[in-house]
Amino acid sequence: MIPRNRKGCKLDFTQEVVWERVYLKEKCKEVGVEKEYILYEKRLRCNSIGVFIFLHSAVTLIHCFLLLMTCQDTTIIQIDIISYIGAALLIITVLSINFNEEIIRKHSWIMYASSVIAASVMVMVDIIVRSSFLDRQQYVMEEIGLRSARKQEQLLLHSILPPQIARPFQEDIRSRVAIKRRGHRTHNVKERIMAIQNHPEVSILYADVVNYTHLTTTLTVNELVTLLHDLYGRFDVAASHFKVQRIKFLGDCYYCVAGLSRPDPDHAKCCIDLGHCMIAHIREVRLNRNLNIDMRIGVHSGSLLAGVIGATKLQYDIWGNDVKIASKLEATGRPGHIHISERTLGSILDNTYEILPGTEEALNDPYLASHNIHTFLIAAIDIKLDDYGLKGAESHSYTQLDAEERSSSIERELQAEYGKLPVGAFHIIDFIRFWKKTKKKPQNTNNSSRPIVDFFFLHFRDPRLEYNYMRQPDYMLKYSVLLAWFIGISLIYIQIVYHDRGNLYYYVDGIVFITMTVPLFITWFKKMCYWRYKKDSHEYSKWACKIFRIAEFMQRNLIIRLCIYMSTIIAYFWVITVVLVDCDQEEFEVLHIENKLYHYEPDLFMCFHPWVLTNMACLIIGMSVIFTRIPLMVKIIVSVLEGLTYVIIMFFQYEYIIHHSKTTNPYFSSEYAHTYIIGITIVSFYLMERQAEFNSKVNYNWRLELLKKQQDAVITNKSITILLQNILPAHVVNVYLTSLARHELYYEDYEMVAVMFASLQNFVLDSANLRVLNEIITEFDKILYYYRKDYLVEKIKIVGCTYMAACGLDLRFSGRIDGQDDSSIIKEVTRAQRFLAAFEKQSAVPGVRNEVVFVLTTFALDLLRTLWMCRNVYEKLPIDRGVFSADMSIGISCGEVMAGVVGASQVHYDIWGNPVNMASRMDSTGVSGRIHITEETAVILRAYGIECDYRGMTFVKGRGVLPTYFVGIDENYEFRYTPEFNSRPTVNPLKRMRQKNDDTLTYKTS
């Protein structure tokens, strides 16, 4: 579009240049498809030659048939017929060389030398075909890219969720992305999908790496991630081999289920065989890496609930009493053995194992005793991993594809698609099928199997599609106008040469010339300016800008194009009309009779020459058909009406002149000969334009398909990003993909990270409570959204009723907390930072990235507030009070943490280190309704002005007796600040949201 400016404007030729032959040719060379296009162009020429041969043969046969039917003595025209047929066979023989691809590929000059038609490919056709070819190449590349992206999307989704419940989530993600791209607001998290399924007959395996805590404190991050990736990669491959589905792993704990995705009567044996394989793997790793590690495995058979809860970081998990029993069997098991229950032992169909009594710890475990669980041990057996094809199994991610193989695959697919490119819309077999269908006339037709365009007129069967197609700008309009101008000049020239000159001729010719020259100047003015100033920045006058805008309007408006089309045809007929009006037929008859009687030279300009006038009519018909971007139906109707009008006028008004015109065969009536030429012209131009129209329609349809593919690709890539962000923290996604591209493991080491475990207490995980748990976790995720956006708090995982999160995993954190947002959270953090700055002047407490502890503690307090609001809402509902009677304990620790991505078939992001272990211990040893923290965490929070209550010396598994603290919280779920801090006003971070959340929960649960 040309920008409006009173003084002038700049020329914008970006849209038109795409339809320039030079640009398209350079584009073909740029994308490396010029050779393929030349081959495709040869196929098109061969198709055109085939159409020409068919048409020439048909015309010859019809001509010979008419000669035989009109001649009384056929013996005198035998030589003529033999000559016509012989010439036709000679032409067919010469042109048939073009159908031998090998000869043409080696000697391309033969095509040009043997066929004028093949050598004289019109510029307009070449432009349309090149554009279609480039669109098809881009379409194929988009298709390949989209297919690859969808495969990645599916693999990523299946790495989070099993295939049996993944589809609804995939459709939900894609629909939300599509809605957001259209500018609409996506639905709230509370409306997202919850998928929980009951599985009655399964076996659950829990496996724990013995001495793991020692590894996290002695190995470097590289060594730890490499070890875990090696172990869990082996376990994933083995689980896939034994048809056991891995659920997730929690630090050193790996748990999976057999008979989950597909019912398997031998599910217990699958888990036990996997357990033997895992022990063999860890012993091999222990030997190779010289590490003191072993496996403790527990297996129990029963029923469970499996599915996904929450609104972000979706993770597939399992719940139920039998799940907890399997976990207890692992915890009370013996290293190097598989600890199984009596029910699992009874489920083994082919028991060939050595069964030993269960452990003493299992007998003394109150949970196992309360459920009357009797346990047994299966000693590890020596198995050869080679026998299972699992020796040295390496994990491969979905992005580790061989580049050369992928490139060759794309090349093969492109070549196959180029071979499928249509070369024409005219095939004899199509006519045969059409007539067969016409005769049969089936009553029930399947619209989905019908072609998208009509057979004769090639219009889209969908009126909206045809309407949009015709509304496209016609950047080929200038070529049509130029060709129409040359034909008009040719008609005027023929008129001047063959007919008497007079003032009427000059007036009409002048009007016709102006009528055709004005649109020619307007449509070509912009391109001429582009040729003149394409290398310079030139500002055009306001008159030039007006001409630019008029030309663009003519290109975009179908009505204007139709007006130009019809005015051109009317101008042509003016030229013929003047010739006909100037002819006195009665005088011509008298002079013609006298000429025959007295044998004197006739006056050539006495009246029109019939064959010259018929040729002029054929030129008009040809131009009427090949004018671009006019509906083919309109062009065919106009051309047929032109032919009929001409024939009717000639037969009824000027019958004597036509009848006495000469023909190549004296026995063939002149009337038939003229009609025959007009008919052949209409059919020939129809077939030729049918090819061009077909290419245009195919090109347009490919463009639409290309847009759909591009939109699908955008949605798929967005979906992949969402899925990756569901597995990994947002800042890790790009780094992780880069690491995969280099076939490297991803890991990081952090100096200061705060880790939180929040567990619901007294919460029975049955089907009714799982729905309540989903509501609670969804509300937690809503809170997380604000913290994740502003303070980069990351949800790590959910295990049962435990919510794990961390803060400080993104190094951009320190730059994000200085934002100018007016939210209450930021205000509270800013005040705490000011207090910390004053505190640091009076103490030696370092403040390096300690904000993460304060932010995560604030997040933990918001979780307590949210749970308090949920409890109040459920207490007001007319439901069983036992459905929701939970409270929550929270544990927080901080310090140096390692993070990385491990796993084979299912990549998994996790964090390791002493803070993770200590936060878990703070949670397990905590008190409901309180935030239990370590001494290091308490020191940092006190530096931010928060009071911390000393709990006393607490026994921590693996660390002994340690001093621990509770975060100071009053009865209104506010922090208790130190006296120095209380002099400043404080703000509840979610005070303005509490009423809104309360109403939301009330509406949702009702």
Side-chain angles (χ1 to χ4, degrees), residues 107 248 344 403 517 834:
H107 309 284
K248 65 175 65 174
T344 300
T517 304
R834 288 199 297 266

Side-chain angles (χ1 to χ4, degrees), residues 153 170-187 708 711-719 722:
E153 178 189 34
Q170 186 177 22
E171 293 175 353
D172 179 60
I173 291 173
R174 293 177 68 85
S175 64
R176 284 190 281 124
V177 173
I179 291 172
K180 190 172 182 180
R181 289 189 75 247
R182 291 195 294 267
H184 300 294
R185 182 174 172 268
T186 58
H187 51 268
K708 292 179 182 178
Q711 292 172 359
D712 287 345
V714 170
I715 293 175
T716 302
N717 290 331
K718 290 280 188 181
S719 176
I722 293 173

Side-chain angles (χ1 to χ4, degrees), residues 437 442-454 460-465:
K437 290 180 180 178
Q443 298 296 325
N444 297 322
T445 57
N446 186 6
N447 291 330
S448 61
S449 62
R450 297 174 66 193
I452 61 173
V453 294
D454 181 70
F460 288 110
R461 297 187 184 275
D462 185 354
R464 294 172 297 179
L465 199 59

Side-chain angles (χ1 to χ4, degrees), residues 208-209 211-218 224 228 250-253 753-757 797 804-805 891-898 910-925 932 934 955-959 962:
D208 188 76
V209 179
N211 206 26
Y212 168 80
T213 304
H214 177 69
L215 295 179
T216 60
T217 57
T218 56
L224 181 63
L228 293 177
L250 316 171
D252 61 333
C253 181
V753 173
V755 184
M756 179 204 77
F757 282 80
K797 67 185 72 168
M804 179 183 177
I892 296 178
S893 182
C894 62
E896 190 172 342
V897 164
M898 296 174 285
D910 208 350
I911 58 177
W912 308 275
N914 183 63
V916 179
N917 301 330
M918 289 302 298
S920 177
R921 301 293 184 246
M922 293 297 99
D923 174 37
S924 60
T925 60
H932 195 200
T934 60
F955 175 76
V956 178
K957 182 180 178 181
R959 295 294 302 274
L962 299 175

Side-chain angles (χ1 to χ4, degrees), residues 694-720:
F694 178 78
N695 287 333
S696 297
K697 291 291 177 71
V698 168
N699 185 28
Y700 178 72
N701 189 55
W702 283 345
R703 286 177 184 273
L704 294 181
E705 292 296 328
L706 177 62
L707 289 175
K708 292 179 182 178
K709 294 294 180 185
Q710 290 173 339
Q711 292 172 359
D712 287 345
V714 170
I715 293 175
T716 302
N717 290 331
K718 290 280 188 181
S719 176
I720 289 174

